[in-house]
Amino acid sequence: MKSIAVFCGSSIGASEAYRQGAILLGKEFAKRKITLIYGGSSIGVMGTLADTVLQEGGKVIGVIPTLLAEREISHQHLTELIIVNSMHERKSKMMELADGFIALPGGPGTLEEFFEVFTWSQIGLHQKPCGILNVNHYYDLLISLFDHMQNEQFLQPQYRNAVLVDSDVSGLLEKFSSYTPPTIKTYRKN
Ligand code: AMP
């Protein structure tokens, strides 16, 4: 796995644990020579993650739309900063550049980005792994919601299981290495 896109908060969160989670992931990327693809911002969990990969000698590619370049304070010291015209272009560029996707803690923007890659994997638009790094139990409620969706038959077990979850960075990356994509989603009549 040469590059992974990470979706994460433009805020740093209430607990120091979120910063530490970003630092642990960033160090592991640099150690494993995985290029970080991310939203190009210098603030929040995004900024901490990018700074860590760079400090540890790794490569970081940021993808930011002109609309947000100033507002989110784009990072000025990345290996490469790609400026795009729209949010849609940002997501498709990140999808094209990455071999897999990870969500770190974040807000609605993070979830929107993660759900797009997850749902695109269900319908076979890509075969890349999607994972959640469950730092500080942040995503416990979302994971319960996935279980609820499966129990209520709105999410098939193979797609539920396709979302790789771990609270440990190495554990999650090992799951990425042995990932087998699910078969493409089919639909049945009521
Ligand atoms: P947040 O998790 O809300 O702090 O946002 C994290 C990142 O997601 C930021 O870089 C936002 O610009 C980005 N973002 C917010 N809304 C969207 C959206 N609708 N589509 C794609 N990215 C978004």
Side-chain angles (χ1 to χ4, degrees):
M1 191 140 297
K2 291 192 176 132
S3 60
I4 295 181
V6 179
F7 307 123
C8 53
S10 52
S11 309
I12 194 63
S15 163
E16 173 61 19
Y18 303 123
R19 187 194 308 276
Q20 291 307 321
I23 290 172
L24 286 177
L25 184 63
K27 284 187 173 173
E28 201 62 28
F29 272 26
K31 190 170 126 198
R32 295 181 187 230
K33 300 201 182 319
I34 296 170
T35 298
L36 167 66
I37 313 294
Y38 88 117
S41 169
S42 63
I43 55 173
V45 178
M46 301 171 86
T48 300
L49 176 64
D51 287 343
T52 305
V53 177
L54 293 168
Q55 277 159 20
E56 298 288 319
K59 287 190 187 160
V60 182
I61 301 177
V63 186
I64 197 160
T66 41
L67 168 80
L68 292 180
E70 285 190 9
R71 231 189 294 165
E72 287 196 355
I73 319 171
S74 52
H75 200 300
Q76 296 303 307
H77 305 287
L78 302 178
T79 315
E80 189 180 353
L81 180 66
I82 301 174
I83 312 254
V84 292
N85 291 318
S86 67
M87 300 299 268
H88 287 112
E89 223 184 293
R90 178 201 233 179
K91 289 190 291 182
S92 64
K93 191 75 193 166
M94 290 172 79
M95 186 132 20
E96 174 196 320
L97 293 174
D99 300 323
F101 311 95
I102 291 177
L104 269 177
T110 300
L111 288 186
E112 199 277 344
E113 293 170 310
F114 182 75
F115 271 91
E116 180 167 275
V117 292
F118 168 43
T119 53
W120 281 30
S121 96
Q122 280 195 101
I123 54 176
L125 289 176
H126 69 78
Q127 280 73 41
K128 303 172 183 181
C130 300
I132 291 175
L133 187 60
N134 194 16
V135 176
N136 197 32
H137 298 282
Y138 179 71
Y139 283 116
D140 284 359
L141 293 171
L142 179 63
I143 293 160
S144 299
L145 181 60
F146 282 142
D147 292 336
H148 181 61
M149 286 176 179
Q150 183 181 327
N151 290 339
E152 295 302 313
Q153 300 183 5
F154 285 108
L155 176 61
Q156 294 173 24
Q158 62 164 328
Y159 304 116
R160 166 68 183 84
N161 296 331
V163 180
L164 308 174
V165 181
D166 211 300
S167 54
D168 175 70
V169 173
S170 296
L172 186 62
L173 292 177
E174 294 317 315
K175 288 176 182 165
F176 269 49
S177 314
S178 56
Y179 175 73
T180 311
T183 52
I184 296 171
K185 189 171 181 189
T186 53
Y187 299 87
R188 58 171 192 194
K189 288 190 176 167
N190 293 342

